[in-house]
Amino acid sequence: MQSDYEYPEVSEELHEKEWKHFNSNRTIPEEDKFIACYAPFNHMRIRRDGMMSPCCFALVFGKWEKGKFGLKDYWFGDVNNSYRESFLDNEMGIGCRKICGTAIRNKVIPPINDYDWNWHNRSEHAMDSNAYPKVIEFEISNLCNMACPMCMGELSSKHMLGRDKDLKTYAPNLFDNDQNLEELLDQLKEFIPHLRTIRFTGGEPFAHKAFYKIAQMIADVNPTMEVDVTTNGSIYNTKVDKFVGLLKNMKISVSLDTVDVDDYAKIRIGGIHEETMANIEKFKNKLGASNIKINSTIMSLNCANIDKFFTYANDNGFTAFVNRYERAGREHTIDYNINLMPKEVLENTIVKLNNINPRINREAVKRTIKLIEKAISEQ
């Protein structure tokens, strides 16, 4: 087992009333709540450095190593089983106490709820010791053709080799190595027939050879499974076009941040606004609007025009998602937090958002207004 977090020798116990509050906010049937979290029973995450865990929030890992420790060793082995045993006892596993444990203690709905719905027959699947995951999330590599200012070296090779190169010693991208990738592909052959969904993140997945090799395997073995790709939208070549047509259930999540030309130039460093917007249109024509989501990190560089982002999403029938810029891990860069913006600009942005009459994304607009209101309260 490996961990990215130093844990106290004695963890804080979750009080009964806090645990009840957490369970009361889960939307699964009551009879399925005997498991505190379903992530280690139905979900598996593989990082670019080979670290494997139930989800992106878990902080204890098994490490993939060619010829020594593979996907089955993790999924059916001690690391994942330790998570399962804790959740069967309605406890937070040691790798979950920092994020989900803290959320529950503070009566905030934790990410656990998302993993409740990875599979409809969740409890029966969880009780089958021979069952494979239903969802794999694969962070292929940090290989990326952009250097967005709010990003970091772990997620962008541009920053790893440039702005952030002296911050730390970066673990290698294991699956950039052809021998490692081929062994991983051999191991995935056993998992893919069982999967409901595979999610590709990066870096930029469409820039990496691994995506196309895995996509071909999916097309051959399980062509109807859901394939979710988080992309910056800058790449639409003949290979992308091939698999957009070949995979039967593909969804695209575009990290766009803004539709304003000037804002785009400040944020999506290395991208060309006109080309990205044209590529999104190509994805729309191939996949349909309902299979496209656009994402934005709201920050001082794009906040004043975030209404245009929602208008674009609504006009095209895209789902929109907005989260707020976080300072953690970015202390060495310019602070783009919206709470540093003039109050009148933030208030005017709220007015513009309230004037939107969205056919879709109504809740996302409301949530964005709350994010801005919170920023104003912090000033």
Side-chain angles (χ1 to χ4, degrees), residues 35-229:
I35 294 178
C37 175
Y38 279 91
F41 300 92
N42 59 34
H43 189 278
M44 178 178 180
R45 183 170 188 255
I46 311 166
R47 282 192 344 197
R48 66 175 190 85
D49 57 3
M51 294 298 192
M52 297 176 286
S53 61
C55 69
C56 64
F57 304 101
L59 299 175
V60 172
F61 310 92
K63 189 178 191 306
W64 191 95
E65 189 173 357
K66 182 178 178 295
K68 295 182 179 180
F69 193 85
L71 302 185
K72 286 183 71 175
D73 296 308
Y74 167 77
W75 183 253
F76 295 106
D78 291 343
V79 179
N80 200 39
N81 282 335
S82 69
Y83 280 106
R84 293 179 178 185
E85 289 166 6
S86 294
F87 291 138
L88 282 167
D89 290 335
N90 265 322
E91 296 177 355
M92 284 288 101
I94 190 171
C96 306
R97 292 174 191 163
K98 182 180 180 183
I99 297 176
C100 288
T102 300
I104 292 171
R105 283 193 295 275
N106 293 329
K107 293 189 176 181
V108 174
I109 296 175
I112 288 172
N113 291 33
D114 296 331
Y115 300 94
D116 280 345
W117 287 99
N118 275 340
W119 187 240
H120 63 280
N121 202 10
R122 63 189 68 76
S123 57
E124 183 178 337
H125 179 261
M127 291 297 96
D128 182 357
S129 61
N130 295 315
Y132 285 74
K134 289 297 177 184
V135 180
I136 284 182
E137 180 181 345
F138 186 22
E139 179 191 88
I140 300 176
S141 170
N142 69 351
L143 178 64
C144 189
N145 56 349
M146 290 191 184
C148 306
M150 69 292 189
C151 198
M152 56 186 68
E154 285 292 346
L155 302 175
S156 167
S157 56
K158 290 273 190 180
H159 282 319
M160 182 181 72
L161 299 172
R163 186 195 67 190
D164 298 350
K165 65 181 179 181
D166 296 324
L167 290 181
K168 59 183 287 188
T169 299
Y170 291 90
N173 293 309
L174 282 191
F175 307 109
D176 287 358
N177 177 281
D178 287 338
Q179 291 181 332
N180 287 342
L181 179 57
E182 288 306 314
E183 183 162 319
L184 179 73
L185 291 171
D186 285 341
Q187 294 173 7
L188 276 172
K189 288 176 184 176
E190 190 171 340
F191 282 71
I192 284 177
H194 304 277
L195 291 178
R196 171 183 177 267
T197 303
I198 188 166
R199 300 185 181 120
F200 293 97
T201 63
E204 171 52 48
F206 289 139
H208 201 280
K209 58 193 172 186
F211 169 78
Y212 301 102
K213 292 188 175 186
I214 297 172
Q216 185 61 61
M217 188 186 302
I218 292 168
D220 294 339
V221 176
N222 188 0
T224 60
M225 69 179 282
E226 185 176 300
V227 179
D228 295 347
V229 183

Side-chain angles (χ1 to χ4, degrees), residues 150 297-299 324-327 330 334-337:
M150 69 292 189
T297 297
I298 190 169
M299 49 191 163
R324 183 177 168 183
Y325 167 88
E326 295 287 347
R327 190 65 177 148
R330 301 168 177 86
I334 296 171
D335 192 345
Y336 297 106
N337 204 313

Side-chain angles (χ1 to χ4, degrees), residues 288-308:
S290 62
N291 290 314
I292 296 173
K293 179 172 73 171
I294 58 172
N295 307 305
S296 178
T297 297
I298 190 169
M299 49 191 163
S300 58
L301 294 173
N302 62 356
C303 182
N305 289 311
I306 199 68
D307 58 305
K308 296 178 183 179

Side-chain angles (χ1 to χ4, degrees), residues 255-315:
S255 299
L256 185 59
D257 292 310
T258 183
V259 297
D260 182 86
V261 176
D262 293 333
D263 290 353
Y264 187 93
K266 298 172 187 175
I267 299 171
R268 310 307 295 183
I269 308 300
I272 299 173
H273 179 269
E274 183 180 356
E275 291 181 3
T276 297
M277 302 308 284
N279 289 342
I280 294 174
E281 189 67 20
K282 293 174 185 177
F283 283 120
K284 177 184 175 182
N285 291 338
K286 280 272 192 173
L287 299 173
S290 62
N291 290 314
I292 296 173
K293 179 172 73 171
I294 58 172
N295 307 305
S296 178
T297 297
I298 190 169
M299 49 191 163
S300 58
L301 294 173
N302 62 356
C303 182
N305 289 311
I306 199 68
D307 58 305
K308 296 178 183 179
F309 175 83
F310 281 110
T311 298
Y312 171 75
N314 293 328
D315 288 348

